[in-house]
Amino acid sequence: MKEAEQEQRQEFFDAILEYRYIREDGRLELEPFCVYLSHCFGFDGILEISPQPRDVYLLLLDIIRETLGPTGANRYIQHQRISDWTPDMAYIFPEKTKTCIHPSALIHVSHIWIYGIGHDLMRIPEPAEGGKYFAWVKEDWLAVHAFINGYHNAFYAFQKRIDKAGIAEKGYSLFEALHLSSRKNIDFDEAEELLKARHASYQAALNRIEAAINDGYFLEAITLEECLVSNCLFNFLDNVGVRLTNPSFHTLLNKILTNDKAYQELPIELFTAIDEWRQARNTSIHGYVTSRSDGLDQSRADFDVMATSTARQGRDFCQSIVAWYELECVNFIRHQFPSKRSGNIH
C-alpha cells in the first residue's frame, strides 16, 4: 500500500474515532450516521455486505413509530431545514434537511435499531445465546466496529451525564437503581424506593449533624459523621464487588485507596484528609475521657476546641463524600466493551 493511501486511511480512521455522534442537546443527526457507517464498510473492504444508508435511516424511523406510536414519532423525529445547504452536501443531505432524533426516543429504541442493522438489514443470523446487542459487528471489521462501538459509548456517556445532572433533584441515580435492581433481583420501582429512602436518611443525618454542632453536642456530631461517611464508603465498595463484613472505618478507607481501578475519578486528597480526620476523631473521643478523669480546666478547654474543629470538619467531609458518591454511582453499570484494537491501523 502506498504511503499516501495509508495516510488517507489513517486520517479516515482517526476521524471515525473522533466522530461526534450525539450533539450537546442530545440529538442524533441521522443522515451522516447512515452515510458514514456505509463508508466504514467500504474502508474495511466489505462494502458488498453493507446495508444502504437509506435503509438504515428508514429502519430507525420505523422502529420509533412502532415503539412510540404516531404522537411519539412526531415529537421525537425532527426535520430541520439546512439554511446554508450547498450542492456538495447532497450526498449526505439530499433533501436539504437534517433528521434529528430526540434522546427520549433513542433511549427506548437505540439498541433495537443497532441490533436490527445487523440481523434485519444484513440478514446475519441471530446468536443462539444472549450477548451485546451489536455482537454482529466483527472486531476484524476495524472501522465498522470502531464506529458502532463509539456510538454505544457516546450515547451511554450522554445518558450518564443527564443522570448525574438529575441526581440533585431526584435524590438518586437511575443507573444506580438499574444496577441495584439487577444485583438484588428486584423490580426497578422497588430499587428506586430503596434509593429514595437512603437519600432521605442521608439528608436527615446531615440535618442532625448541623443541629448537633449548633447546640454544642460535638461528640454526637462526630459519631454521626463517621457513620455517614462509613455508610457511603461501604455502599460504594459493595456495589463495585468488594464484600466486607462489619469493617472498621480504617478498613473502609484502606479498601477505597487500594481499589482505585473501580472508580472513574479518585479524589485521593479527599480520602487522605478523611483519614487524618479519622485520627483526629479518635483523639477527640479519648480527649473527652482524659478531660473528665483529670478534672483539669485546661484539659477540658483543649478538648472543646478540638471537638468543635473536628465536628465542623467532619460535617464538610460528609457533604463532600455524599457528593462524590452521587457522581460515581452512575458508573456502577459499565457501558464500555473492551476492544482489542488500538487507534492505529496497519
Side-chain angles (χ1 to χ4, degrees), residues 82-135:
I82 303 175
S83 58
D84 57 349
W85 186 90
T86 55
D88 63 314
M89 300 169 66
Y91 81 104
I92 295 180
F93 302 108
E95 298 178 6
K96 304 180 182 180
T97 60
K98 293 180 180 179
T99 305
C100 302
I101 309 300
H102 194 280
S104 296
L106 290 175
I107 287 172
H108 290 285
V109 306
S110 177
H111 62 290
I112 303 173
W113 175 47
I114 298 299
Y115 187 89
I117 292 173
H119 299 297
D120 295 332
L121 298 183
M122 298 175 65
R123 304 295 182 182
I124 294 175
E126 294 185 322
E129 299 180 356
K132 61 185 179 183
Y133 61 97
F134 59 95

Side-chain angles (χ1 to χ4, degrees), residues 176-247:
E176 185 181 7
L178 183 61
H179 173 75
L180 183 63
S181 67
S182 175
R183 191 164 67 90
K184 292 187 174 292
N185 194 27
I186 58 178
D187 291 339
F188 183 81
D189 291 345
E190 184 179 349
E192 283 187 301
E193 292 303 316
L194 289 174
L195 295 182
K196 288 178 183 178
R198 187 193 67 195
H199 176 73
S201 69
Y202 280 2
Q203 294 306 306
L206 288 170
N207 291 337
R208 182 60 186 168
I209 288 168
E210 191 67 40
I213 291 174
N214 291 337
D215 293 340
Y217 298 116
F218 302 116
L219 287 182
E220 178 185 353
I222 292 169
T223 301
L224 287 171
E225 288 158 1
E226 179 183 351
C227 289
L228 180 53
V229 173
S230 293
N231 188 265
C232 282
L233 299 184
F234 180 87
N235 282 337
F236 177 83
L237 289 167
D238 192 54
N239 276 295
V240 298
V242 181
R243 306 289 183 249
L244 300 170
T245 303
N246 298 322

Side-chain angles (χ1 to χ4, degrees), residues 53-74:
R54 186 66 178 173
D55 292 337
V56 176
Y57 175 97
L58 292 175
L59 177 64
L60 178 56
L61 300 192
D62 289 343
I63 292 173
I64 292 174
R65 294 187 183 104
E66 180 180 345
T67 305
L68 303 178
T71 301
N74 290 336

Side-chain angles (χ1 to χ4, degrees), residues 126-311:
E126 294 185 322
E129 299 180 356
K132 61 185 179 183
Y133 61 97
F134 59 95
W136 58 267
V137 182
K138 298 180 181 180
E139 284 207 17
D140 290 341
W141 301 348
L142 185 58
V144 174
H145 186 275
F147 192 75
I148 295 295
N149 190 58
Y151 168 73
H152 165 83
N153 288 335
F155 186 51
Y156 267 84
F158 170 78
Q159 291 182 74
K160 288 183 176 182
R161 288 198 301 272
I162 297 300
D163 191 23
K164 284 182 181 180
I167 288 175
E169 179 180 350
K170 297 191 302 289
Y172 65 96
S173 158
L174 293 173
F175 273 91
E176 185 181 7
L178 183 61
H179 173 75
L180 183 63
S181 67
S182 175
R183 191 164 67 90
K184 292 187 174 292
N185 194 27
I186 58 178
D187 291 339
F188 183 81
D189 291 345
E190 184 179 349
E192 283 187 301
E193 292 303 316
L194 289 174
L195 295 182
K196 288 178 183 178
R198 187 193 67 195
H199 176 73
S201 69
Y202 280 2
Q203 294 306 306
L206 288 170
N207 291 337
R208 182 60 186 168
I209 288 168
E210 191 67 40
I213 291 174
N214 291 337
D215 293 340
Y217 298 116
F218 302 116
L219 287 182
E220 178 185 353
I222 292 169
T223 301
L224 287 171
E225 288 158 1
E226 179 183 351
C227 289
L228 180 53
V229 173
S230 293
N231 188 265
C232 282
L233 299 184
F234 180 87
N235 282 337
F236 177 83
L237 289 167
D238 192 54
N239 276 295
V240 298
V242 181
R243 306 289 183 249
L244 300 170
T245 303
N246 298 322
S248 68
F249 193 18
H250 190 207
T251 298
L252 288 169
L253 285 166
N254 279 340
K255 288 294 184 181
I256 284 284
L257 290 169
T258 55
N259 284 272
D260 57 328
K261 292 182 180 179
Y263 347 104
Q264 295 295 311
E265 295 184 15
L266 176 64
I268 295 178
E269 297 82 1
L270 173 61
F271 290 119
T272 300
I274 289 176
D275 192 41
E276 293 173 355
W277 176 83
R278 176 188 63 82
Q279 298 172 54
R281 172 263 182 203
N282 292 338
T283 301
S284 294
I285 298 297
H286 295 312
Y288 178 78
V289 175
T290 302
S291 66
R292 286 297 189 184
S293 59
D294 291 351
L296 299 177
D297 291 341
Q298 185 59 47
S299 178
R300 177 60 188 274
D302 291 344
F303 160 75
D304 286 342
V305 170
M306 177 167 234
T308 302
S309 174
T310 303

